[in-house]
Amino acid sequence: MSTLVIIGAQWGDEAKGKMVDVLGSEAELVVRYSGGNNAGHTVIRDGETFKFHLVPAGILHTEVTSILGGGMAICPKSLLEELEQTRKQQPELGRLIISPAAHVVFPYHKLLDQLEESARGDNKIGTTSRGIGPMYTDKVQRVGIRMGEFVRPDVFKERLKTVVEFKNRLIQLLGGEPIEFEPLFEEYSQYAAQLAPYVVDTESELQDAVQAGKQVLFEGAQGTFLDLDHGTYPYVTSSHPTAGGACLGTGVGPRDIHHALGVAKAYTTRVGEGPFPTELDNEIGQQIRDQGHEYGTTTGRPRRCGWLDLAALKASCRINSLSGLILTRIDVLSGVGDIKVCTGYKLNGELLKGLPYTTADWAACEAVYETLPGWSGDISGSRSREDLPQTAQDFVSFVEDFCGVKSAILSVGPDRKETIFCDRSLLWG
Ligand code: IMP
């Protein structure tokens, strides 16, 4: 009887989808709280691959209610397409409900995302082009359209008209073609009609579930260092993927989140631009990319690969007040030889206490490494910590000791079977 938030402890793509699928079967509610279809979660079950962007991975469990929380950015067209695709693969899905406070992503957001990226030139962020940044800009600017307004035709028409006029001025300023109001309104009204039955008072339902002691899983998207405040600004997303975001994006208070688990790969990846001190722009980086199939679920872009950054992971444990770690993709490091882990950064010859704050300092800092012996062979059949090669066990212990946080789960392959539960008390207990 407790609540649990699972967050990405690095720069996203830490294999959270698999973990939410594994733990989602033990929850009564699974809640997404930030971001939109910039996220990509892959779930592999009995050889079949499910790809999620907006829909919580919990939807595959028919007994579970999935919630899209108020902190989210929802593209109605993508959501409907994703639901249709998922139903084709698995006709019976769990119940889905959407918060009226979630904001809607429109085509002008996507267009502005692309125009703004082009305008940035060499300083581009490398966004997913899903319109996420421009939508959250509207939210902060207080001109966004929320799901609760979107599904009320009279209100929606009025609001959209005003916003489109305003947006078209901006689009033209950036050299784009203005959006026509009528066809946009007609197309999106159809989506609104289809989504209206899903839009209910999710906050009350969630509050009741928490008060009744039901097991609720908050599913983070992206990762800690893509957080608008705690990430490598400005190379971040525009929402709060950290554990604190679960409160902001759902209306559940901090004392009602009982456990926080951080998912981290045994190495580091990042997509898009931005600082990455442990990046391996060499053969080992390519070997990790090949062995880990490190290509984006959302954009297909090759992910940048590098050694595990423990200095960043330790900061992530603090920012998210992690009660446990989920170390994933340990199998991918098999055969790479000795393994390096970054234990700190040096800037101008001085060891930093925390992480750099500015892009210039990130670029100038140097990773300090410790080298650990690697392992080889197929370890995906390991079902307990003791089944792992001794050097892999030592690697896990090193990470835990450095971060001061124990592992709840280890993952040694993409399938849900390829999971080692180390300490169940760190989950719901
Ligand atoms: P945006 O979220 O599309 O605005 O992109 C901002 C930055 O976050 C870019 O570097 C993206 O590559 C990165 N990003 C956004 N969503 C994800 C994700 O789910 N996984 C990894 N990186 C992401």
Side-chain angles (χ1 to χ4, degrees):
M1 61 138 249
S2 63
T3 60
L4 165 66
V5 58
I6 295 190
I7 55 94
Q10 297 163 313
W11 277 269
D13 309 314
E14 298 94 348
K16 295 181 292 295
K18 169 183 162 174
M19 289 308 147
V20 176
D21 181 43
V22 169
L23 294 174
S25 58
E26 300 174 10
E28 290 189 56
L29 287 95
V30 176
V31 191
R32 260 200 70 179
Y33 58 85
S34 73
N37 64 338
N38 48 347
H41 288 174
T42 306
V43 173
I44 302 177
R45 286 175 145 207
D46 302 321
E48 184 166 13
T49 302
F50 295 83
K51 289 197 180 207
F52 298 109
H53 297 284
L54 269 164
V55 176
I59 195 121
L60 295 177
H61 304 287
T62 49
E63 306 298 305
V64 173
T65 293
S66 292
I67 298 183
L68 299 183
M72 286 191 69
I74 298 179
C75 169
K77 190 175 180 202
S78 308
L79 175 58
L80 288 163
E81 282 169 3
E82 204 175 310
L83 282 172
E84 194 184 328
Q85 172 58 33
T86 313
R87 269 197 204 101
K88 269 191 204 149
Q89 291 182 267
Q90 181 181 303
E92 215 178 314
L93 300 177
R95 175 174 169 250
L96 175 73
I97 53 176
I98 305 172
S99 167
H103 278 247
V104 183
V105 180
F106 289 100
Y108 49 79
H109 292 127
K110 286 186 198 160
L111 180 56
L112 281 167
D113 203 349
Q114 287 151 17
L115 293 169
E116 284 168 10
E117 275 285 81
S118 310
R120 284 184 194 113
D122 287 345
N123 296 322
K124 73 176 193 309
I125 294 167
T127 73
T128 58
S129 305
R130 298 293 188 272
I132 303 299
M135 192 231 76
Y136 280 113
T137 303
D138 279 8
K139 175 174 173 172
V140 174
Q141 214 176 10
R142 292 155 294 177
V143 295
I145 299 178
R146 311 215 287 184
M147 286 302 294
E149 296 166 323
F150 178 55
V151 297
R152 288 187 48 191
D154 48 334
V155 181
F156 174 44
K157 187 164 192 176
E158 239 4 82
R159 296 277 289 108
L160 188 70
K161 211 176 178 100
T162 319
V163 178
V164 166
E165 276 171 27
F166 180 69
K167 290 289 148 188
N168 274 341
R169 274 187 250 152
L170 196 55
I171 288 168
Q172 283 170 296
L173 198 68
L174 289 167
E177 282 294 313
I179 302 258
E180 278 188 60
F181 169 74
E182 280 302 336
L184 176 70
F185 176 67
E186 265 172 43
E187 183 185 349
Y188 276 70
S189 294
Q190 287 173 25
Y191 303 146
Q194 290 177 71
L195 289 176
Y198 296 91
V199 182
V200 300
D201 178 6
T202 53
E203 288 202 7
S204 298
E205 186 154 337
L206 193 50
Q207 204 50 49
D208 289 348
V210 171
Q211 293 312 321
K214 292 185 177 170
Q215 293 197 166
V216 180
L217 176 65
F218 296 88
E219 172 181 344
Q222 287 89 40
T224 299
F225 298 107
L226 291 172
D227 185 281
L228 190 54
D229 287 317
H230 302 289
T232 44
Y233 189 88
Y235 299 97
V236 293
T237 192
S238 303
S239 65
H240 297 288
T242 35
C247 296
L248 298 175
T250 64
V252 168
R255 285 192 301 126
D256 284 324
I257 309 259
H258 305 130
H259 298 273
L261 293 183
V263 188
K265 280 176 182 166
Y267 48 94
T268 307
T269 62
R270 140 159 238 177
V271 282
E273 309 301 318
F276 188 173
T278 64
E279 183 165 14
L280 288 165
D281 200 5
N282 59 16
E283 273 174 27
I284 300 178
Q286 189 56 43
Q287 188 181 352
I288 293 175
R289 186 175 302 113
D290 291 342
Q291 291 183 184
H293 310 291
E294 291 292 358
Y295 295 88
T297 315
T298 301
T299 57
R301 289 180 287 182
R303 294 181 184 137
R304 299 159 64 194
C305 299
W307 294 122
L308 177 60
D309 187 338
L310 283 180
L313 186 57
K314 192 171 185 169
S316 194
C317 292
R318 168 182 54 78
I319 293 163
N320 297 293
S321 92
L322 294 184
S323 41
L325 286 171
I326 300 181
L327 272 183
T328 64
R329 307 202 132 221
I330 301 171
D331 53 304
V332 172
L333 288 187
S334 267
V336 301
D338 281 349
I339 292 168
K340 287 190 177 184
V341 289
C342 164
T343 52
Y345 303 126
K346 268 190 178 167
L347 185 63
N348 304 322
E350 298 267 332
L351 195 61
L352 293 180
K353 187 155 186 260
L355 302 182
Y357 275 99
T358 64
T359 306
D361 282 356
W362 274 105
C365 79
E366 202 188 311
V368 178
Y369 289 106
E370 183 112 5
T371 303
L372 306 174
W375 54 91
S376 57
D378 181 4
I379 62 164
S380 62
S382 308
R383 292 294 173 268
S384 75
R385 204 159 157 156
E386 294 69 38
D387 287 346
L388 291 170
Q390 188 58 50
T391 45
Q393 292 183 45
D394 294 345
F395 171 84
V396 173
S397 301
F398 188 94
V399 173
E400 293 176 331
D401 293 345
F402 188 89
C403 293
V405 179
K406 290 280 175 212
S407 304
I409 296 176
L410 305 175
S411 173
V412 290
D415 201 281
R416 64 198 320 254
K417 299 193 288 285
E418 292 161 335
T419 305
I420 299 172
F421 286 90
C422 301
D423 187 347
R424 279 198 156 271
S425 72
L426 298 174
L427 303 175
W428 308 104

